[in-house]
Amino acid sequence: MSIQMPDGKKLVKEIANALPLYCYIDNSTKQLLAKKGVPISDKTRLKIFEVKYMGEAGGITCVVERPDGEGILAVSATQVNFLDEGDIYEKINEYKDARLKWLRQEEQKDKLLGRGGRINIVEKNRDGSIKFSVDGDKEIITIPRQADPSAKISMNSPCPCGSGKKYKKCCGVRR
């Protein structure tokens, strides 16, 4: 049975019209951020002030203000919890649940087909941004350079692209 993803582009427009919204970071992302010097408590409610659709591979990304006021964070909608009430929060949670199921399904397909993943790096630009394709050349997405280029991502941490896979099984695949 194939899981159908809700229309991410349409949902991003609805979310953008409802901004600002609020979320809580999930535990694995909290731990990763703490290692990077951005401690976030369980009670820290973050304000989402922008959302972007990163294509099928990246899903919906929420741009939030850092709790320490030292900038912003871009976090996948699958890595945050939306506990507030209202129609838009219900739609976001439905999307999140469907996306997580879809990602697990895609991971299983990749294992069955012996593929290392659906994401392939196309080029690394001089400015530090990375272009990658999903399933060949069907879709090309550019991710801007990280704010701190010296920051290293743990191979076992969730991939920052929002795929739901570990970094070492996704964008960190050694070529």
Side-chain angles (χ1 to χ4, degrees):
M1 180 170 109
S2 183
I3 296 168
Q4 289 294 331
M5 280 294 302
D7 185 350
K9 288 180 185 177
K10 181 180 174 187
L11 182 56
V12 162
K13 288 178 184 176
E14 290 182 53
I15 295 170
N17 290 331
L19 291 176
L21 295 175
Y22 297 89
C23 67
Y24 300 87
I25 301 290
D26 72 7
N27 286 331
S28 61
T29 306
K30 248 186 275 186
Q31 291 170 359
L32 178 66
L33 289 171
K35 288 178 185 176
K36 302 289 182 190
V38 184
I40 298 177
S41 78
D42 290 339
K43 296 182 189 252
T44 304
R45 190 169 166 233
L46 299 173
K47 179 180 175 182
I48 301 170
F49 65 89
E50 186 178 359
V51 288
K52 296 192 177 286
Y53 184 64
M54 303 298 284
E56 185 180 69
I60 295 175
T61 298
C62 302
V63 182
V64 300
E65 295 174 353
R66 280 180 50 162
D68 58 9
E70 297 293 322
I72 61 172
L73 299 169
V75 185
S76 169
T78 59
Q79 295 173 319
V80 296
N81 297 313
F82 298 92
L83 303 176
D84 292 343
E85 295 181 13
D87 185 46
I88 194 68
Y89 287 102
E90 287 177 24
K91 288 180 180 180
I92 295 169
N93 283 323
E94 286 172 13
Y95 169 85
K96 179 181 170 181
D97 291 342
R99 179 157 175 79
L100 289 170
K101 288 176 186 172
W102 180 83
L103 287 167
R104 283 187 207 103
Q105 172 186 283
E106 292 302 305
E107 188 173 16
Q108 290 302 318
K109 280 185 196 175
D110 287 346
K111 285 180 183 176
L112 289 172
L113 296 172
R115 297 187 297 197
R118 298 162 26 91
I119 300 172
N120 299 306
I121 293 177
V122 174
E123 68 182 57
K124 292 184 180 184
N125 300 317
R126 285 185 177 178
D127 66 359
S129 64
I130 300 172
K131 255 188 197 175
F132 64 91
S133 69
V134 179
D135 283 341
D137 291 322
K138 289 183 186 175
E139 184 173 6
I140 299 211
I141 300 167
T142 301
I143 296 180
R145 175 179 66 93
Q146 290 181 336
D148 181 9
S150 65
K152 292 185 179 179
I153 300 170
S154 166
M155 294 303 277
N156 288 318
S157 65
C159 190
C161 77
S163 68
K165 296 180 182 181
K166 288 185 177 185
Y167 179 67
K168 68 182 178 186
K169 298 277 186 181
C170 190
C171 296
V173 172
R174 295 199 167 99
R175 308 255 179 242

